[in-house]
Amino acid sequence: TQLLEQSPQFLSIQEGENLTVYCNSSSVFSSLQWYRQEPGEGPVLLVTVVTGGEVKKLKRLTFQFGDARKDSSLHITAAQPGDTGLYLCAGELEYGNKLVFGAGTILRVKS
Amino acid sequence: DAGVIQSPRHEVTEMGQEVTLRCKPISGHNSLFWYRQTMMRGLELLIYFNNNVPIDDSGMPEDRFSAKMPNASFSTLKIQPSEPRDSAVYFCASTAAGGFGPQHFGDGTRLSIL
């Protein structure tokens, strides 16, 4: 069982559609990071959220950290083919001195 | 600016052989992490160093795996002897501050053990 459950595992949508990716856990995190990974490359950090209830926006991407700091979501508005990739969430456990990754969401945006 | 540099990018070798993966972190970063990524298990932390000292190696799967960081600009991950189930993409990452701040990943080494 993953400590950080990420859903959906796979998402295939048309250009222009909206989507949301979720990361959920029963553990509390001191921070949560979102990464995007393209084939043949390492993950690249998109954003870090640290405060319960925090919302951060990065162009068409909106990231939210749950009030209890146990969950997070990534919402993409009007998805474009360039958004295609593997999206990973990673949480720094508040107690345990560990960084745990979700299994990832493979996003494919078709033009 | 140079990012995290890993070598080789690809490695294909036969079961039983020794494999050494190399990593050069971003200059000035004092924490270094080794990860393994597979379809089945996703991205797993194997070991991390802080100021060249191994802090947590609980993710290292077996004694066949070992990692060293002889200085601030170089680290190795060694598998001896290698097995087919070790096939994966191995990533190195570094961070500017101690702990688990934003990770700067290299482009990985794709390892295939035949």
Side-chain angles (χ1 to χ4, degrees), chain B residues 8-81:
Chain B
R9 287 300 312 276
H10 304 274
E11 174 90 20
V12 181
T13 192
E14 291 188 345
M15 180 176 68
Q17 297 297 307
E18 178 178 292
V19 172
T20 300
L21 311 181
R22 296 171 175 80
C23 175
K24 176 179 168 56
I26 293 173
S27 178
H29 283 193
N30 56 16
S31 294
L32 183 141
F33 304 77
W34 281 101
Y35 292 90
R36 178 172 68 177
Q37 187 176 41
T38 61
M39 288 292 293
M40 289 296 294
R41 301 174 68 91
L43 198 61
E44 302 173 279
L45 177 63
L46 300 177
I47 185 172
Y48 79 94
F49 296 83
N50 207 23
N51 293 320
N52 312 338
V53 176
I55 302 301
D56 183 358
D57 66 355
S58 61
M60 296 285 261
E62 297 173 36
D63 291 345
R64 298 183 295 106
F65 286 69
S66 62
K68 292 182 180 179
M69 191 164 185
N71 57 63
S73 59
F74 184 66
S75 178
T76 59
L77 178 67
K78 189 172 293 188
I79 309 173
Q80 167 64 17

Side-chain angles (χ1 to χ4, degrees), chain A residues 2 31 33 35 37 40-45 48 86 88 92 96-99 101-103 106, chain B residues 9 35 37 39 41-43 45 48 55-56 58 91 99-103 105-108 110:
Chain A
Q2 289 268 359
S31 70
Q33 304 163 13
Y35 294 83
Q37 183 179 14
E41 299 180 7
V44 176
L45 181 72
T48 302
L86 173 68
L88 294 158
E92 181 178 358
N97 200 34
K98 275 194 183 299
L99 183 69
F101 278 81
I106 298 173
Chain B
R9 287 300 312 276
Y35 292 90
Q37 187 176 41
M39 288 292 293
R41 301 174 68 91
L43 198 61
L45 177 63
Y48 79 94
I55 302 301
D56 183 358
S58 61
F91 286 101
F100 298 99
Q103 310 268 300
F105 285 82
D107 284 337
R110 181 172 293 278

Side-chain angles (χ1 to χ4, degrees), chain A residues 31-70:
Chain A
S31 70
L32 201 132
Q33 304 163 13
W34 284 93
Y35 294 83
R36 178 167 165 265
Q37 183 179 14
E38 297 194 47
E41 299 180 7
V44 176
L45 181 72
L46 295 173
V47 79
T48 302
V49 285
V50 296
T51 306
E54 182 176 2
V55 176
K56 278 192 174 178
K57 292 194 174 186
L58 191 65
K59 296 184 181 177
R60 294 175 294 101
L61 279 59
T62 301
F63 304 85
Q64 188 161 6
F65 202 12
D67 291 340
R69 291 183 286 129
K70 294 182 178 181

Side-chain angles (χ1 to χ4, degrees), chain A:
Chain A
T1 304
Q2 289 268 359
L3 198 58
L4 197 50
E5 296 286 342
Q6 191 170 341
S7 63
Q9 287 183 294
F10 182 76
L11 204 50
S12 181
I13 60 172
Q14 289 294 134
E15 182 177 2
E17 292 184 8
N18 301 332
L19 66 113
T20 303
V21 177
Y22 300 92
C23 270
N24 295 292
S25 178
S26 57
S27 300
V28 178
F29 299 102
S30 55
S31 70
L32 201 132
Q33 304 163 13
W34 284 93
Y35 294 83
R36 178 167 165 265
Q37 183 179 14
E38 297 194 47
E41 299 180 7
V44 176
L45 181 72
L46 295 173
V47 79
T48 302
V49 285
V50 296
T51 306
E54 182 176 2
V55 176
K56 278 192 174 178
K57 292 194 174 186
L58 191 65
K59 296 184 181 177
R60 294 175 294 101
L61 279 59
T62 301
F63 304 85
Q64 188 161 6
F65 202 12
D67 291 340
R69 291 183 286 129
K70 294 182 178 181
D71 56 270
S72 182
S73 64
L74 157 61
H75 183 78
I76 301 180
T77 303
Q80 298 178 1
D83 296 328
T84 293
L86 173 68
Y87 288 82
L88 294 158
C89 60
E92 181 178 358
L93 286 171
E94 182 161 71
Y95 304 105
N97 200 34
K98 275 194 183 299
L99 183 69
V100 293
F101 278 81
T105 295
I106 298 173
L107 172 65
R108 182 184 169 207
V109 183
K110 295 174 285 187
S111 57

